[in-house]
Amino acid sequence: DTGVSQDPRHKITKRGQNVTFRCDPISEHNRLYWYRQTLGQGPEFLTYFQNEAQLEKSRLLSDRFSAERPKGSFSTLEIQRTEQGDSAMYLCASSSQGATYNSPLHFGNGTRLTVT
Amino acid sequence: KQEVTQIPAALSVPEGENLVLNCSFTDSAIYNLQWFRQDPGKGLTSLLLIQSSQREQTSGRLNASLDKSSGRSTLYIAASQPGDSATYLCAVGSPQGGSEKLVFGKGTKLTVNP
């Protein structure tokens, strides 16, 4: 169990640029989640995959955001035409059977995005 | 819509003190409640998960209780240590439309002074 890995740890970009983040979940976990956290707030749910299927998306995930998990292993989160309001910590988590089956979530250390 | 509140927002205690962190939620129809720890600039570490049918869970110096009917949970930390300094977050999983998402509180920032 090597834990959930996220890359990069930090990303600084100019407004209007596109950015992509990667998440590698714990290898035997088939559930993968993306959350966003701003300073002083708790994480907010963005989207959820079971294997390669994206089963749930938050209304926070505007059309500038897209997430994929092409082979049911790693996942990418892309933000197009970044805005200053996108500045946040983007957290990835995985679990073996999901929240509804009482499996705890294991989080990565996040990607800190700063849009200037 | 599920809402989670944590009180206090910040807490400072001397080393060795026992302390209680509070979490409340508005909709008692939950699958489970989880407590997490977050160190500055880091991700979240799962501490305890209480299923909706359970009343409490214990791990070492940590004890979490759940009163679903009143929409409350507490995290009890015994004999606090400076290494316990972190932000503690609670989150609930609710069966709203089969959703997998957790709804988080804003956290309680704990400082344990040596």
Side-chain angles (χ1 to χ4, degrees):
Chain A
D1 179 352
T2 57
V4 177
S5 177
Q6 292 189 246
D7 184 69
R9 287 297 316 279
H10 304 275
K11 179 71 176 179
I12 300 174
T13 192
K14 293 185 177 179
R15 188 178 56 180
Q17 298 294 304
N18 299 343
V19 294
T20 300
F21 311 140
R22 177 180 170 122
C23 171
D24 288 89
I26 294 172
S27 57
E28 61 267 27
H29 288 179
N30 61 7
R31 268 83 162 172
L32 186 147
Y33 309 78
W34 286 97
Y35 282 80
R36 180 173 70 184
Q37 185 178 29
T38 54
L39 200 61
Q41 303 294 313
E44 295 176 292
F45 173 82
L46 292 178
T47 191
Y48 152 66
F49 290 85
Q50 182 172 330
N51 298 313
E52 66 275 12
Q54 187 174 20
L55 298 184
E56 192 174 352
K57 290 170 63 173
S58 163
R59 277 175 282 184
L60 292 174
L61 215 65
S62 76
D63 56 6
R64 295 185 299 106
F65 289 70
S66 63
E68 293 183 344
R69 195 182 182 198
K71 297 182 179 179
S73 56
F74 73 92
S75 175
T76 58
L77 177 68
E78 181 182 15
I79 309 174
Q80 295 182 329
R81 305 182 303 280
T82 52
E83 302 173 355
Q84 288 186 321
D86 297 330
S87 296
M89 175 80 88
Y90 289 83
L91 294 162
C92 177
S94 69
S95 74
S96 57
Q97 294 193 3
T100 56
Y101 292 95
N102 298 310
S103 293
L105 259 60
H106 298 263
F107 280 85
N109 281 328
T111 293
R112 168 76 64 190
L113 173 66
T114 302
V115 182
T116 61
Chain B
K1 178 187 170 186
Q2 181 73 269
E3 293 181 0
V4 179
T5 303
Q6 292 188 246
I7 295 174
L11 181 64
S12 182
V13 300
E15 182 176 3
E17 191 161 298
N18 302 326
L19 60 100
V20 174
L21 307 180
N22 296 294
C23 172
S24 62
F25 46 95
T26 55
D27 186 347
S28 61
I30 64 171
Y31 287 125
N32 53 60
L33 184 144
Q34 298 184 49
W35 283 93
F36 294 88
R37 168 187 173 136
Q38 186 173 32
D39 293 293
K42 297 290 182 68
L44 283 68
T45 300
S46 179
L47 297 174
L48 291 164
L49 182 151
I50 311 177
Q51 298 178 28
S52 62
S53 59
Q54 297 175 326
R55 297 282 295 184
E56 64 179 332
Q57 281 286 337
T58 298
S59 176
R61 295 182 294 108
L62 306 179
N63 176 276
S65 68
L66 175 64
D67 184 342
K68 211 173 60 161
S69 61
S70 67
R72 295 177 189 275
S73 176
T74 61
L75 179 66
Y76 175 83
I77 303 177
S80 58
Q81 303 171 358
D84 295 330
S85 298
T87 296
Y88 291 80
L89 297 130
C90 73
V92 297
S94 302
Q96 295 169 350
S99 173
E100 274 289 317
K101 74 175 182 183
L102 296 181
V103 178
F104 282 83
K106 293 182 179 181
T108 293
K109 183 175 182 180
L110 173 65
T111 303
V112 181
N113 300 300

